[in-house]
Amino acid sequence: MGAHCCNHDHEQPVTPDPKYRRILWIALIVNASMFLIEIIFSLRSGSVALLADAIDFFGDAANYGLSIWVLAMSVQARAKAALIKAASMALFGIGILIHAMWNLITGVLPDAQTMSLIGLLALCANVGVGILLFTYRNGDSNMRSVWLCTRNDALGNIAVIIAAIGVFGTGTAWPDLIVATIMASLALTAAWQVMKQARQELS
């Protein structure tokens, strides 16, 4: 990667893979749809983990749209887009940590059944998108950011289901809050990874 970053092709637009563009459009539609579903049921259930997942779906839908927009641009342009996505992932992580603290203070007990059903639906959606994106997981920072978002989403969905089981078994909100914190940490870690690679591509 270092040699490529030093030559003049670094500034040139590239011809996007039509298959990858189609996959991004599918991912955008799936994520936008799941955001609408999860935001409704997260508010109904009172689950901060489900709300975290809903906000993440919204962020990913926006990021997929950004990825489509810069797909035919230069490596530097795609790296700058990746920096924007890294910032959005970091903001998501910080926001969820704040919301988890608020739920801890107010003592909201989420609905475990709603959490598990919507978490399972979201997991199926993200696994499907992840399978489509798997071939492109080791591309430039823009492609890597797309893959990391999808991977983190699938892990987050599994965590939501586990949290639902925990809430049902303990009768407390602690499992929901713990999972929300883990999801926020994943977002912050992924943001750092994408930001680091994008800065290397810009150097």
Side-chain angles (χ1 to χ4, degrees):
M1 183 176 69
H4 177 71
C5 288
C6 294
N7 62 32
H8 294 292
D9 291 338
H10 184 69
E11 301 290 343
Q12 297 300 318
V14 296
T15 303
D17 182 345
K19 181 180 178 182
Y20 185 60
R21 183 184 290 276
R22 287 194 298 271
I23 290 172
L24 288 178
W25 273 111
I26 293 171
L28 189 157
I29 294 169
V30 169
N31 277 262
S33 300
M34 284 307 305
F35 163 70
L36 293 175
I37 292 171
E38 281 204 324
I39 197 68
I40 292 171
F41 285 98
S42 66
L43 295 175
R44 287 185 179 181
S45 66
S47 169
V48 66
L50 207 56
L51 179 61
D53 211 32
I55 295 173
D56 198 26
F57 269 121
F58 175 79
D60 287 349
N63 286 338
Y64 289 133
L66 184 60
S67 294
I68 293 169
W69 180 51
V70 301
L71 199 57
M73 296 184 183
S74 67
V75 172
Q76 281 199 331
R78 296 198 305 275
K80 290 175 181 177
L83 285 176
I84 295 174
K85 287 188 280 186
S88 71
M89 284 188 283
L91 288 174
F92 155 74
I94 294 170
I96 292 305
L97 288 175
I98 294 172
H99 194 80
M101 291 177 62
W102 174 252
N103 271 29
L104 177 62
I105 294 170
T106 56
V108 175
L109 181 64
D111 179 13
Q113 185 175 3
T114 301
M115 287 175 64
S116 59
L117 290 176
I118 301 302
L120 182 59
L121 176 63
L123 176 62
C124 292
N126 277 317
V127 168
V129 172
I131 291 172
L132 294 175
L133 289 170
F134 186 76
T135 304
Y136 302 93
R137 68 192 184 282
N138 292 321
D140 59 35
S141 60
N142 188 56
M143 286 184 172
R144 183 162 175 77
S145 68
V146 169
W147 164 251
L148 286 172
C149 282
T150 305
R151 182 205 67 182
N152 286 353
D153 286 350
L155 293 174
N157 300 148
I158 295 172
V160 168
I161 296 171
I162 294 172
I165 296 172
V167 169
F168 179 79
T170 65
T172 69
W174 278 108
D176 183 58
L177 298 175
I178 291 171
V179 165
T181 301
I182 293 172
M183 292 172 69
S185 299
L186 281 173
L188 292 172
T189 301
W192 171 252
Q193 291 176 0
V194 171
M195 188 177 299
K196 183 178 179 181
Q197 183 175 348
R199 290 182 66 182
Q200 289 175 346
E201 291 172 0
L202 286 171
S203 61

